[in-house]
Amino acid sequence: MSTDFEPSEYISRLQRASEFSAAEGIAALLVTPGPDLRYLTGYHAHPLERLTCLVVPADGPVKLVVPELEVGTAQASPIGALDIELVTWQETEDPYALTAKVLGEPGHGARMAVDDRMWAVKAIELRRAMPEAEQLAAGVVLSELRMRKSEAEVTALIYAGEAIDRVHAQVPQWLRVGRTENEVARDIADAISQEHETVDFVIVASGPNGSSPHHMASDRVLAQGDVVVVDIGGTTSVGYCSDSTRTYALGEPDPSFLADYAVLVEAQAKACESVAPGMTCEEIDAVARNILADAQLDEFFIHRTGHGIGLETHEEPYIVSGNQRRLEPGMAFSVEPGFYRAGEVGSRIEDIVVCGVDGPIMCNKRPHELIVVE
Ligand code: ZN
Ligand code: ZN
Ligand code: ZN
């Protein structure tokens, strides 16, 4: 897959951002480096103290306020192929006053939506520069756009899924009695970086550590009979994230664990199968939770069933009780039920699923059965 999308993809995202803003009564979106900027323009810049700010008015041309010294990198990004005017500032200028000027000095009550990940200090400076304007979080527009993936984004998520599947396929060779979780995690991290641009996280949770869902890796030495939860993810060159969990065992675990694990396999599969347009997020959560409840395992399922994924590993929509949002084609999220017996053992199975027109599109295709390493 090429390292970026066609300019037309960004042009349509920017257009929809303006349209959604207009519908929300927002005068402009102000977007600093981070996932929203990458979403709208493909410009992958890291947030620094100097202000770079994309100005997307509900009506009018898109502009990028950018420090003079960053112009080269901005133009080398997909922004160079988009019709975006660069408004540059020198080291001694006030970029916030410049941004206010670009916006035509917003008057009383003009609604300025700042990206959800903007540094607080930048939001405060923008408020200072536009004292009459009202500030709100741009998630009301940008989360709504980002949670509905385009065809190109779905392709990117499937590609990320294939990348992490290739890593999971290699995990059994690294799980050996006598090695530490950290040693295994280093091998996995190397493999993730072969398949992705960045390694985002590596969870190797063995034995009792498996009962802590966000345990990362430690110096615990793997022992015969351990169940090992391996939850791993990275970001591909085009910016989309992978996230997949499989549960492994060093030798055959005891029958009561195997019985519980069989219920988990069913709960995860049924929740994936139930993904379809019109289903609510909480209904998907309930499918998994009810199956675990029938086996008295629900009290050990201590987190939501899933989270949206795209340019960030965790984004909307969240698959959780109380979320009545209805699924639409293009929504992408994890389905990752688990059970955690404190201080004893844990297990989890996680796939990324896209809601397709007729049902689920599975981004991860590795088998769900417990992978027993002898
Ligand atoms: Zn980065
Ligand atoms: Zn996840
Ligand atoms: Zn995960």
Side-chain angles (χ1 to χ4, degrees):
M1 153 170 256
S2 74
T3 54
D4 225 305
F5 298 122
E6 295 295 322
S8 58
E9 176 82 11
Y10 296 114
I11 291 166
S12 99
R13 292 178 188 181
L14 286 164
Q15 265 167 5
R16 289 199 303 143
S18 291
E19 286 161 18
F20 270 61
S21 297
E24 292 285 336
I26 290 167
L29 302 174
L30 303 176
V31 182
T32 50
D36 288 329
L37 182 64
R38 193 169 192 182
Y39 176 77
L40 290 171
T41 67
Y43 183 25
H44 179 207
H46 289 273
L48 296 169
E49 74 288 1
R50 292 187 183 94
L51 182 74
T52 291
C53 185
L54 187 76
V55 176
V56 185
D59 185 21
V62 178
K63 295 180 181 173
L64 183 74
V65 174
V66 60
E68 179 74 42
L69 80 166
E70 302 279 5
V71 166
T73 50
Q75 271 169 342
S77 83
I79 278 191
L82 303 173
D83 188 19
I84 294 176
E85 185 194 333
L86 304 192
V87 181
T88 62
W89 60 275
Q90 310 292 330
E91 292 284 46
T92 54
E93 279 181 272
D94 176 354
Y96 299 96
L98 180 61
T99 305
K101 203 172 133 198
V102 164
L103 284 159
E105 308 293 350
H108 183 73
R111 303 180 81 216
M112 296 293 149
V114 302
D115 74 82
D116 290 11
R117 300 279 180 274
M118 184 182 284
W119 287 3
V121 68
K122 293 178 185 172
I124 290 166
E125 286 293 299
L126 286 168
R127 177 167 283 173
R128 173 188 59 76
M130 294 174 248
E132 295 291 298
E134 191 186 304
Q135 247 179 26
L136 71 156
V140 289
V141 169
L142 294 172
S143 290
E144 291 295 319
L145 295 184
R146 282 177 48 190
M147 84 173 83
R148 297 171 174 89
K149 268 69 181 177
S150 68
E151 214 173 298
E153 290 181 285
V154 172
T155 302
L157 283 168
I158 291 171
Y159 178 85
E162 289 168 350
I164 208 69
D165 281 1
R166 286 191 291 270
V167 177
H168 266 299
Q170 300 171 69
V171 167
Q173 73 189 66
W174 297 315
L175 292 173
R176 290 289 176 267
V177 170
R179 300 193 80 202
T180 66
E181 292 175 350
N182 280 331
E183 287 168 340
V184 175
R186 275 195 286 275
D187 289 333
I188 293 173
D190 286 345
I192 294 173
S193 67
Q194 298 280 320
E195 298 282 353
H196 300 71
E197 190 172 270
T198 59
V199 179
D200 294 339
F201 59 92
V202 180
I203 293 175
V204 179
S206 66
N209 291 342
S211 66
S212 170
H214 277 171
H215 172 82
M216 294 304 281
S218 74
D219 285 328
R220 184 179 183 276
V221 176
L222 303 187
Q224 187 66 22
D226 277 354
V227 170
V228 188
V229 179
V230 176
D231 184 354
I232 52 180
T235 302
T236 63
S237 57
V238 74
Y240 285 74
C241 298
S242 65
D243 181 7
S244 177
T245 310
R246 289 295 182 267
T247 301
Y248 300 82
L250 290 165
E252 198 72 22
D254 68 76
S256 75
F257 174 83
L258 290 173
D260 289 350
Y261 189 80
V263 175
L264 180 63
V265 171
E266 193 201 349
Q268 199 268 353
K270 288 274 160 47
C272 291
E273 285 164 23
S274 65
V275 169
M279 287 286 284
T280 65
C281 291
E282 67 174 4
E283 283 168 347
I284 306 297
D285 180 82
V287 169
R289 208 164 294 278
N290 290 341
I291 291 170
L292 288 163
D294 288 344
Q296 285 78 51
L297 284 169
D298 53 327
E299 66 171 298
F300 306 110
F301 178 22
I302 55 176
H303 55 72
R304 65 192 174 206
T305 291
H307 53 83
I309 189 167
L311 288 166
E312 289 176 282
T313 309
H314 287 195
E315 56 181 52
E316 298 215 53
Y318 294 99
I319 308 303
V320 62
S321 175
N323 187 358
Q324 287 159 20
R325 181 181 288 279
R326 290 191 185 279
L327 296 180
E328 296 171 35
M331 289 185 179
F333 44 86
S334 68
V335 174
E336 51 175 309
F339 62 86
Y340 309 90
R341 293 185 184 274
E344 290 175 39
V345 70
S347 54
R348 176 163 70 254
I349 303 168
E350 174 180 28
D351 291 317
I352 303 305
V353 183
V354 178
C355 179
V357 177
D358 310 311
I361 300 165
M362 303 298 294
C363 296
N364 299 105
K365 300 185 176 74
R366 297 285 307 157
H368 294 149
E369 287 64 39
L370 188 73
I371 299 142
V372 179
V373 180
E374 295 298 343

